[in-house]
Amino acid sequence: MSSKNSKQPYGFHTLAVHKGYEPDSQTGSLALPIHQTSTFVFPSAEVGGKRFAGEEAGYVYSRLGNPTVAALEEKVAALEKGEKALAFASGMAAISAILLGLVRSGDHILCSRGLYGCTFGFLSILKDKFNVDYTLCDMRDEESVTSSIQENTKVIYIETPMNPTMQIIDLAMIGQIGKEHQITTVVDNTFMSPYLQRPLEYGCDVVVHSATKYLGGHGDLIAGIAVGKEDFLEEIRFTTLKDIGGILAPFDAFLLVRGIKTLGVRMDRHCQNALQVAIFLENHPKVTNVMYPGLKSFPQHELAKKQMDGFGGLISFELKDGLEAGLSMMNKLELLKRAVSLGDVDSLIQHPASMTHSVVPKEERIKMGIADGLIRLSVGIENVEDIINDLQQALS
Ligand code: 4LM
């Protein structure tokens, strides 16, 4: 995408549609071609050697880079305002490759007390098998973060908003603490997408995504992305991405590029629908503890307004009659789908304690604020009256 005709930088939606690919001069194909190839032919043996040695640009083998995947990476880097992005086979492939690239045996990771279940699971693997320790910390105030930093802390890893409690962490504070203590800060931005929040703008170092969610948006792929400084991500590309091998397939990169073209439009609708659904739930006599950053009753509503450009599509809540009532309500739903994952155009509802966060021991799960009866709703882009009517009938 060229900006030669414009002195102004392009806006988010324009970048989402165009960045990363110019119709190629040979065929003029408007849509991004899917380079479904494992390897690339070298014009000469010498060139092949130079490409392997990193002395000449050019593709070598799709585990090291692929043009369809590169187009996706360029688009996401632009949207997150980062120098570089790297695509992975899943969100967990991205998270594990980044963390493995940053720590070694004896190091410590400081984490938000509230993480996706499998991220918690990966931290447990690092601790049990590789002597990399972690601490979960309530990061709502600065003192508790700084007092939890150890001499061997190499990474501060956070989700904001957290899955599934929607608790928020001040990104500017985390960016600043990271700089002051020379600790790499990593932010999982899955719940927001770059349309609603860009952690690099707040001084954080690396953004990770489960691109399976809002970036893809249609529930038809699994993918991950990391964004940050070029040097760091090139190092990851040639170490924990290349040698562990969790790369994204070209077809999935194509689907992601297609999904991202409508990211902003979809997010606007997710935000509008979710606010109305949250208000409906908050006013329902059988519902309690509605967690949605857009509600005035949400304890961190002001912080949400400060660092997020919208409140997203995720809502967590409980029923006054507890777990059994919650599960029974889920079973009565007709339109909303009982499924894990989030950020799809379809509304999805799940029960974190028995599903996405079942790997977290109960004691820790309760400390994270994930009660046994908590239900998480990912509000889709359907007509909001239909979503509310379905919830209404299931609650009655
Ligand atoms: C879910 N989440 O919550 P892959 N980071 C966050 C996530 O929510 C997830 C991942 C990473 C759910 C999946 C079943 C904040 C996933 C992991 O699934 O590996 O793309 O992302 O429902």
Side-chain angles (χ1 to χ4, degrees), residues 1 30 37 93 146 174 194 209 219 223 239 250 262 274 295 325 338 341 349:
M1 177 188 188
L30 175 70
T37 184
T146 48
I174 293 297
H209 277 281
T239 54
T262 58
L295 290 175
R338 287 172 294 276
S341 203
I349 194 161

Side-chain angles (χ1 to χ4, degrees), residues 87-165:
F88 295 83
S90 68
M92 287 318 303
I95 292 164
S96 55
I98 292 296
L99 287 178
L100 282 170
L102 286 169
V103 296
R104 58 181 67 229
S105 175
D107 287 344
H108 171 255
I109 306 173
L110 184 58
C111 301
S112 49
R113 171 152 271 149
L115 293 166
Y116 169 56
C118 294
T119 306
F120 179 85
F122 181 65
L123 291 170
S124 311
I125 294 175
L126 285 179
K127 184 180 167 106
D128 296 346
K129 292 194 165 174
F130 300 103
N131 188 34
V132 175
D133 202 3
Y134 69 86
T135 309
L136 300 184
C137 161
D138 181 342
M139 297 195 178
R140 277 173 292 187
D141 73 283
E142 191 167 345
E143 162 61 19
S144 68
V145 183
T146 48
S147 62
S148 304
I149 292 174
Q150 305 178 7
E151 225 167 79
N152 57 344
T153 305
K154 292 286 159 37
V155 180
I156 298 179
Y157 184 96
I158 66 165
E159 282 179 17
T160 181
M162 285 174 214
N163 184 355
T165 59

